[in-house]
Amino acid sequence: MRMRPTLSWTPDEDLPPGTTDLGPVADALDAGGVLVLSGAGISTESGIPDYRGEGGSLSRHTPMTYQDFTGSAQARRRYWARSHLGWRTFGRALPNAGHLAVAAFARRGLLSGVITQNVDGLHQAAGSGGVVELHGSLARVVCLSCGTYSPRRELAQRLEEANAGFAPVAAGINPDGDADLTDEQVADFRVLPCANCGGVLKPDVVFFGEAVPPSRVEHCRRLVGEATSLLVLGSSLTVMSGLRFVRQAAQAGTPVLIINRDPTRGDRHALTRIALPLGTALTTLADRLGIPPADDRARLD
């Protein structure tokens, strides 16, 4: 069963106000066993916009849906042209202080795992291991006919060769790596088939309107069930794919803590919501716990 696309959420109840007190999160981390659930807000400081925050891309951009992608060759041309251009910028993004802090917490044994709704790979680039990519990864491509997976960089090279000189100016880059281009700018873009069978290629990401693979959902549910607390970082929790884990934790009596500047759909389930920028909040937490993220990053380089 595919989830219905949920592009926006408006609070229909009085939600607890946000706070700047990081004490409850520091206490949870100090106790260990924290499961992180991250969203697009953790990557904004890396230059990747989020969907729904201030200036979010949904104000000017409607993400591709699974139904449009699979049902229309024109939609696929538009997607791959825009995504090919966006990949050039998206692929150069670097982890920020928030990603580095999460990786540092993990290396100190404070986390039980990391689930991310993001498709940018920045948690892994910062040094976090065993990250569950709830919505997949832009770094992989899958054929809808034969099921073959391949690296995105290989397709990028093929598209470069097939579309020599393709260099339109984009109005912006979105959280899914999609560049804002007009229909006229993408009209002559050449889409390539699977090199193995000639089938339709799709990025290995969960589009709006597409279901997260059941096995991945069950894996995340097990992680939530084993966690001592759930820490949500930079997610509005608008879509059910992430909100269901907050609800699961709350129903089990597992503390839910949220760091997000704006109200979220999960606030009523949370012990607290800290309304601070993630880079600032997570760096402050690392300092309070005596964990230097920059030093941890240096050991990786």
Side-chain angles (χ1 to χ4, degrees):
M1 179 178 180
R2 294 190 177 109
M3 62 185 182
R4 295 181 60 191
T6 303
L7 300 183
S8 62
W9 165 76
T10 301
D12 58 1
E13 58 184 316
D14 291 331
L15 296 173
T19 179
T20 59
D21 180 13
L22 289 165
V25 181
D27 291 342
L29 287 167
D30 193 46
V34 176
L35 176 63
V36 165
L37 171 63
S38 71
I42 198 170
S43 293
T44 56
E45 294 175 38
S46 293
I48 300 174
D50 63 9
Y51 283 116
R52 301 174 182 85
E54 184 178 353
S57 69
L58 285 182
S59 63
R60 54 179 168 75
H61 163 72
T62 300
M64 177 63 66
T65 68
Y66 181 83
Q67 291 76 12
D68 286 343
F69 185 88
T70 56
S72 167
Q74 182 178 356
R76 290 193 291 275
R77 176 180 293 106
R78 183 171 66 252
Y79 174 82
W80 279 119
R82 292 162 59 121
S83 183
H84 179 58
L85 183 64
W87 176 252
R88 297 172 181 171
T89 299
F90 198 87
R92 291 194 296 267
L94 297 174
N96 61 53
H99 299 108
L100 295 174
V102 170
F105 297 153
R107 282 191 289 275
R108 289 295 181 94
L110 307 183
L111 305 184
S112 62
V114 177
I115 301 170
T116 185
Q117 296 173 290
N118 300 337
V119 295
D120 52 37
L122 291 179
H123 277 300
Q124 296 92 320
S128 291
V131 177
V132 180
E133 296 174 308
L134 187 63
H135 294 156
S137 171
L138 278 177
R140 298 184 300 271
V141 177
V142 62
C143 175
L144 296 181
S145 295
C146 68
T148 297
Y149 289 88
S150 58
R152 175 64 178 268
R153 65 178 180 275
E154 292 182 2
L155 177 62
Q157 180 61 42
R158 293 175 61 207
L159 289 173
E160 288 282 356
E161 295 170 356
N163 296 278
F166 180 74
V169 177
I173 305 296
N174 301 303
D176 51 6
D178 187 12
D180 285 331
L181 298 174
T182 66
D183 289 343
E184 291 75 15
Q185 288 174 302
V186 307
D188 297 325
F189 190 84
R190 183 183 172 196
V191 178
L192 298 180
C194 172
N196 183 53
C197 76
V200 171
L201 292 175
K202 174 184 173 292
D204 187 26
V205 299
V206 177
F207 282 144
F208 281 87
E210 183 180 6
V212 177
S215 60
R216 195 177 302 164
V217 174
E218 288 309 309
H219 178 47
C220 292
R221 288 196 182 280
R222 287 195 296 273
L223 291 175
V224 174
E226 295 166 358
T228 58
S229 60
L230 178 64
L231 176 59
V232 180
L233 303 176
S235 175
S236 67
L237 299 170
T238 295
V239 296
M240 187 56 65
S241 64
L243 180 62
R244 60 183 152 197
F245 303 125
V246 169
R247 289 179 172 174
Q248 176 190 343
Q251 289 169 0
T254 302
V256 176
L257 307 107
I258 299 174
I259 305 179
N260 199 67
R261 284 189 291 184
D262 299 318
T264 82
R265 199 176 173 191
D267 282 6
R268 69 185 183 91
H269 302 292
L271 176 66
T272 185
R273 177 176 62 84
I274 293 90
L276 289 172
L278 275 166
T280 299
L282 293 174
T283 300
T284 300
L285 284 165
D287 289 343
R288 183 177 298 188
L289 295 169
I291 302 172
D295 288 351
D296 277 30
R297 174 70 186 277
R299 287 196 290 273
L300 290 175
D301 296 336

